[in-house]
């Protein structure tokens, strides 16, 4: 019986709900999600909960924001002028843009409000500040290929397609 441990390829079926009961995401009717355990492919709280589990195990786990997508950071909400979005014809609430950050990485920002020339953007993850309730069933556990280990993620169905 292979158990979930560092460097194992794990396939799970899952349903994610928030505390208000709303279903945010689910693998139902699709390929299971495949990830490489111990490589931060999934949020820390879920990875911790899955450690040591085996194929066929099912679990329900409630993950606080600090082990999920973090607390909301009010400083990531900013108002910018609409001319900062040159080349975009129709700005709409819900649009997502990639913005470069000072450290050279890329941040996803969402438009959350439009008021005249003022555009309110939010760089928080949509699920920041939320408790995440996962209903998980472990579908498969296997050893990674050397290539998967080098890349730090899973290839094939449910993983990276490249
Ligand atoms: Zn790869």
């Amino acid at each position: 019986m292979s158990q979930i441990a560092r460097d194992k390829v794990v396939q799970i079926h899952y349903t994610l709900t928030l505390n208000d009961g709303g279903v945010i995401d689910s693998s139902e009717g699709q390929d299971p999600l495949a990830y490489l355990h111990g490589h931060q492919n999934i949020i820390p709280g879920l990875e911790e909960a899955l450690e040591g589990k085996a194929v066929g195990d099912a679990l329900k786990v409630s993950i606080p924001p600090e082990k999920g997508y973090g607390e909301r950071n009010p400083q990531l909400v900013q108002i910018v002028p609409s001319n900062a979005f040159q080349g975009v014809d129709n700005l709409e609430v819900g649009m997502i843009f990639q913005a470069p950050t000072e450290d050279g990485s890329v941040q996803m920002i969402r438009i959350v409000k439009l008021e005249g020339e003022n555009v309110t953007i939010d760089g928080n993850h949509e699920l920041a500040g939320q408790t995440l309730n996962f209903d998980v069933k472990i579908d498969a556990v296997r050893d990674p290929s050397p290539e998967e280990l080098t890349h730090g993620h899973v290839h094939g169905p449910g993983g990276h397609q490249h």
Side-chain angles (χ1 to χ4, degrees), residues 24 31 158:
I24 293 298
D31 283 332

Side-chain angles (χ1 to χ4, degrees), residues 147-155 160-162:
E147 194 189 40
E148 286 173 324
L149 255 192
T150 310
H151 287 202
H153 56 228
V154 176
H155 295 158
H160 282 243
Q161 316 283 343
H162 71 136

Side-chain angles (χ1 to χ4, degrees), residues 2 10 13 34-35 41 45-46 51 56 83 103 113 128 136 155 157 162:
S2 54
V10 183
H13 272 295
Y35 78 96
N41 291 176
L46 187 56
E51 177 84 28
N83 64 17
D103 67 10
K113 193 170 154 193
V136 184
H155 295 158
H162 71 136

Side-chain angles (χ1 to χ4, degrees), residues 22-34:
V23 175
I24 293 298
D25 196 9
S26 175
S27 64
E28 208 169 308
Q30 303 172 41
D31 283 332
L33 171 76

Side-chain angles (χ1 to χ4, degrees), residues 4-162:
I4 297 176
R6 187 176 167 80
D7 296 341
K8 290 284 187 185
V9 170
V10 183
Q11 289 184 297
I12 56 171
H13 272 295
Y14 68 96
T15 297
L16 168 59
T17 51
L18 299 183
N19 282 349
D20 65 8
V23 175
I24 293 298
D25 196 9
S26 175
S27 64
E28 208 169 308
Q30 303 172 41
D31 283 332
L33 171 76
Y35 78 96
L36 189 61
H37 194 81
H39 291 258
Q40 296 166 335
N41 291 176
I42 59 173
I43 57 170
L46 187 56
E47 199 158 57
E48 275 174 32
L50 288 167
E51 177 84 28
K53 297 286 188 292
V55 174
D57 283 354
L59 60 150
K60 284 180 195 289
V61 56
S62 189
I63 298 169
E66 64 267 26
K67 291 196 171 177
Y69 292 100
E71 298 290 353
R72 281 187 62 79
N73 178 358
Q75 291 185 338
L76 294 179
V77 179
Q78 291 174 359
I79 296 177
V80 297
S82 58
N83 64 17
F85 295 88
Q86 273 172 16
V88 184
D89 287 340
N90 293 301
L91 292 175
E92 281 175 39
V93 170
M95 278 180 165
I96 295 174
F97 295 88
Q98 295 189 336
T101 61
E102 284 168 17
D103 67 10
S105 63
V106 169
Q107 187 188 22
M108 305 298 280
I109 56 162
R110 254 177 319 134
I111 294 182
V112 293
K113 193 170 154 193
L114 292 169
E115 218 169 29
E117 296 298 299
N118 292 331
V119 181
T120 307
I121 56 170
D122 187 350
N124 287 288
H125 190 282
E126 264 183 291
L127 295 175
Q130 298 274 10
T131 295
L132 308 172
N133 304 299
F134 279 95
D135 210 328
V136 184
K137 192 164 184 294
I138 294 131
D139 203 57
V141 179
R142 66 167 168 86
D143 288 322
S145 70
E147 194 189 40
E148 286 173 324
L149 255 192
T150 310
H151 287 202
H153 56 228
V154 176
H155 295 158
H160 282 243
Q161 316 283 343
H162 71 136

